[in-house]
Amino acid sequence: MSAPRRYVKIAPSLLSADFADIADQIRMVESGGCDELHLDSMDGVFVPNLTWGMKIVKDLRKLTALPFDCHLMIVQPERYVDAFREAGADIITFHYEATPHQHRLLRHIRSLGAKAGIAINPGTPSALLVDLIEEIDRVLVMSVNPGFGGQTFIDRALVKVAEVRALLNVRNPVAEIEVDGGIGLANLERAVQAGADVLVAGNSVFGSEDPPETLREMRRRIDGLQKQRR
Ligand code: DX5
Ligand code: ZN
């Protein structure tokens, strides 16, 4: 474990936001200094929950210039990546488990001009990424079973983050690792120390009393790790 050398991004997950007041919710997290927005699309098949598709992404695109990190929890994601890109996705992350053609899809996402992300569930070993490494802009390590916000962080994910970082360091050091699920003030430092570059936070931000202040405190904790390193 080591302190981070690079800038660590914070990505609030809109799954925990109040959609009756979404423009205000986005302004609120922007004012706290977040780096991108994490948008979870769920199909009720890959995961036991439903959220939104391209129409909502397109409408939200009008509200902010923050990068959109679209996390597709849908089967056969190849059917939809073009439409998500057109709707305004900057990073398109699909699940390893949701398609047999991960390599083709990573290349296709890059060909659309988006960053290509691949997500792995808690039960999927990091070693399965070995033949995909050069095609990846971002690996999303799930630290809960996907489908719902507000679940408890699975500690084993930290081991997986370190394994993925070791794989990337050799063949694709600029690729990022994103950790998603159960991240908050209690564990974000451990995630960063394990090698995370992007921290997704839903419930811990939108469920807090003062979301902008929670984001600022997250940033202070990350900066604190960097100071320790100097
Ligand atoms: C879960 C989603 C997450 C979720 C995280 O399937 O992929 O992005 O919103 O929410 P928290 O941070 O509340 O665990
Ligand atoms: Zn997510």
Side-chain angles (χ1 to χ4, degrees):
M1 295 227 181
S2 63
R5 285 163 199 276
R6 37 192 174 204
Y7 184 77
V8 174
K9 297 173 185 165
I10 303 175
S13 167
L14 294 189
L15 187 61
S16 295
D18 179 357
F19 267 74
D21 204 6
I22 196 64
D24 197 55
Q25 299 266 289
I26 290 176
R27 269 194 297 275
M28 189 171 67
V29 290
E30 269 188 317
S31 77
C34 65
D35 300 283
E36 49 188 59
L37 291 180
H38 184 88
L39 279 81
D40 293 295
S41 288
M42 304 186 188
D43 67 355
V45 178
F46 184 70
V47 289
N49 197 4
L50 287 164
T51 55
W52 53 77
M54 298 74 79
K55 166 76 165 85
I56 299 288
V57 174
K58 188 172 177 216
D59 288 356
L60 295 176
R61 190 65 283 177
K62 297 175 206 153
L63 298 175
T64 177
L66 283 170
F68 277 5
D69 165 27
C70 288
H71 177 194
L72 307 187
M73 284 159 275
I74 60 181
V75 296
Q76 298 175 5
E78 54 275 9
R79 291 176 301 162
Y80 292 109
V81 293
D82 293 58
F84 273 97
R85 176 64 176 152
E86 260 170 52
D90 299 285
I91 305 140
I92 302 177
T93 300
F94 66 92
H95 269 260
Y96 179 94
E97 306 84 359
T99 175
H101 296 295
Q102 304 95 5
H103 190 280
R104 174 186 285 152
L105 190 52
L106 287 164
R107 286 197 166 179
H108 181 66
I109 293 169
R110 281 180 163 178
S111 80
L112 299 173
K115 287 195 173 175
I118 188 157
I120 49 174
N121 280 337
T124 301
S126 58
L128 290 176
L129 300 174
V130 77
D131 290 320
L132 302 169
I133 293 295
E134 284 83 1
E135 313 300 330
I136 293 173
D137 293 307
R138 181 177 281 192
V139 176
L140 190 163
V141 175
M142 286 303 309
S143 42
V144 297
N145 284 293
F148 302 95
Q151 301 182 80
T152 305
F153 185 82
I154 297 170
D155 278 332
R156 171 80 197 170
L158 296 174
V159 176
K160 211 184 279 186
V161 169
E163 288 168 2
V164 173
R165 180 39 65 207
L167 273 176
L168 294 174
N169 277 349
V170 179
R171 286 163 46 202
N172 187 358
V174 298
E176 296 173 312
I177 301 178
E178 177 170 26
V179 185
D180 184 7
I183 294 273
L185 290 171
N187 56 15
L188 72 89
E189 285 149 310
R190 287 191 298 144
V192 170
Q193 283 172 322
D197 305 291
V198 186
L199 303 173
V200 177
N203 197 51
S204 64
V205 170
F206 288 103
S208 70
E209 281 203 359
D210 185 345
E213 181 48 28
T214 302
L215 285 164
R216 285 191 284 271
E217 179 58 20
M218 288 178 148
R219 177 57 58 201
R220 283 193 285 271
R221 303 264 179 114
I222 295 166
D223 289 349
L225 290 173
Q226 272 154 345
K227 281 192 194 105
Q228 279 172 28
R229 199 189 153 79
R230 283 186 210 125

